[in-house]
Amino acid sequence: MPVDETTPNTRLIMLGEAALCAGFSLIGFETWPDASPQQLDTVLNELMDRNETAVVFLEPALARCDCDSLRQLQHRGGGIVITEIPPLNAPRDYRPQVEELVISVLGQNALESPSNAPDRTD
């Protein structure tokens, strides 16, 4: 598909552990290895100031930091999509933020599989 020069390019950005960033850089992401909350704030403010479109991947420590620009983007929506990914060293211990929201609204049992549900093989 030809590139439309009137359409802005979407930036692909990864901020997190250096080892994980290395993998993302191999697939073309702009990476910020071992980024601090201050660096995250700088990147997000730059995106907002320039009205850019972007997909931003964050490891949990950054996704849950006390960063004004992050909170602002999480509430406003739009052309900057932010998503949290599991840490490289403990993916099985990862619990996404949305899980906490589901539990607070529907209760702890909402995320448990019913014990009497049949196994599906289709």
Side-chain angles (χ1 to χ4, degrees):
M1 177 186 306
V3 175
D4 179 358
E5 296 200 16
T6 62
T7 304
N9 291 327
T10 299
R11 287 174 65 182
L12 303 173
I13 302 170
M14 169 59 193
L15 293 96
E17 180 185 322
L20 190 55
C21 281
F24 275 84
S25 70
L26 292 173
I27 58 172
F29 274 67
E30 173 184 336
T31 59
W32 294 77
D34 300 325
S36 68
Q38 293 78 18
Q39 288 172 310
L40 171 62
D41 195 48
T42 299
V43 169
L44 296 181
N45 279 318
E46 176 186 297
L47 291 170
M48 289 188 289
D49 290 346
R50 294 181 180 178
N51 200 30
E52 294 186 83
T53 58
V55 177
V56 180
F57 287 90
L58 303 174
E59 284 195 302
L62 287 174
R64 299 169 191 217
C65 73
D66 186 27
C67 178
D68 290 333
S69 58
L70 178 60
R71 279 194 309 273
Q72 181 181 351
L73 283 170
Q74 288 171 327
H75 293 287
R76 90 170 191 190
I80 302 171
V81 176
I82 299 174
T83 189
E84 181 180 349
I85 60 170
L88 188 60
N89 63 347
R92 294 181 195 266
D93 296 334
Y94 174 68
R95 297 291 176 256
Q97 290 178 346
V98 72
E99 187 175 296
E100 297 166 14
L101 177 62
V102 169
I103 290 170
S104 72
V105 172
L106 300 175
Q108 182 66 40
N109 295 336
L111 299 176
E112 296 175 6
S113 298
S115 59
N116 60 354
D119 288 338
R120 297 191 58 145
T121 58
D122 46 73

